[in-house]
Amino acid sequence: QVHVQDAGGGSVQAGGSLRLSCAVSGSTYPRIYIGWFRQVSSGKKREGVAHIDSNGRTSYKASVQGRFTISKDNAKSEWYLQMDSLKPEDTAMYYCAADTTRSGPDLEDWWYDYWGQGTQVTVSS
């Protein structure tokens, strides 16, 4: 059973930085696809923020391009979302998602099978 553990959220002022982490365990598959999603409130749709393939290819939501960086630590089976120049509109619950096979577009959430519990990011002006 694949388990996803995300962490690293917090409260920062606009212009600040945070680094989210995502640890994935229990997978025996050679490839893992990781996406970061965020949800402003429980009634809102989750939106894709960043994605990284098992070969290192990345993609980003346009509004975070150049400010957010997704990366992987191969030695630890951990993934990170470095968030710089944060804005109040980045405030949301952030979720790490994983899957072992690709079956959809990078930043759409419906095909990711494994999800972390979420970590809150709050950016004040």
Side-chain angles (χ1 to χ4, degrees), residues 79-90:
W79 288 258
Y80 306 100
L81 184 67
Q82 177 67 40
M83 305 187 295
D84 298 319
S85 302
L86 281 162
K87 303 175 180 180
E89 52 263 42
D90 295 318

Side-chain angles (χ1 to χ4, degrees), residues 24-46:
V24 179
S25 60
S27 174
T28 59
Y29 290 85
R31 297 184 176 85
I32 295 181
Y33 302 86
I34 297 292
W36 280 100
F37 294 82
R38 66 188 183 188
Q39 189 175 30
V40 173
S41 63
S42 59
K44 299 287 188 180
K45 187 181 186 300
R46 273 186 306 217

Side-chain angles (χ1 to χ4, degrees), residues 10-16 18 85-92 94 120-125:
S11 296
V12 297
Q13 290 193 325
L18 283 172
S85 302
L86 281 162
K87 303 175 180 180
E89 52 263 42
D90 295 318
T91 295
Y94 283 71
Q120 179 67 38
V121 171
T122 302
V123 185
S124 58
S125 57

Side-chain angles (χ1 to χ4, degrees), residues 12-104:
V12 297
Q13 290 193 325
S17 298
L18 283 172
R19 189 176 82 154
L20 306 183
S21 64
C22 176
V24 179
S25 60
S27 174
T28 59
Y29 290 85
R31 297 184 176 85
I32 295 181
Y33 302 86
I34 297 292
W36 280 100
F37 294 82
R38 66 188 183 188
Q39 189 175 30
V40 173
S41 63
S42 59
K44 299 287 188 180
K45 187 181 186 300
R46 273 186 306 217
E47 61 176 13
V49 174
H51 168 93
I52 185 167
D53 277 353
S54 58
N55 61 7
R57 184 188 66 83
T58 59
S59 59
Y60 298 92
K61 178 180 172 62
S63 63
V64 308
Q65 181 82 47
R67 299 189 298 120
F68 291 11
T69 304
I70 189 171
S71 63
K72 179 188 177 186
D73 183 331
N74 289 308
K76 296 182 179 179
S77 289
E78 287 189 2
W79 288 258
Y80 306 100
L81 184 67
Q82 177 67 40
M83 305 187 295
D84 298 319
S85 302
L86 281 162
K87 303 175 180 180
E89 52 263 42
D90 295 318
T91 295
M93 183 72 79
Y94 283 71
Y95 297 90
C96 179
D99 209 311
T100 55
T101 56
R102 163 182 289 285
S103 54

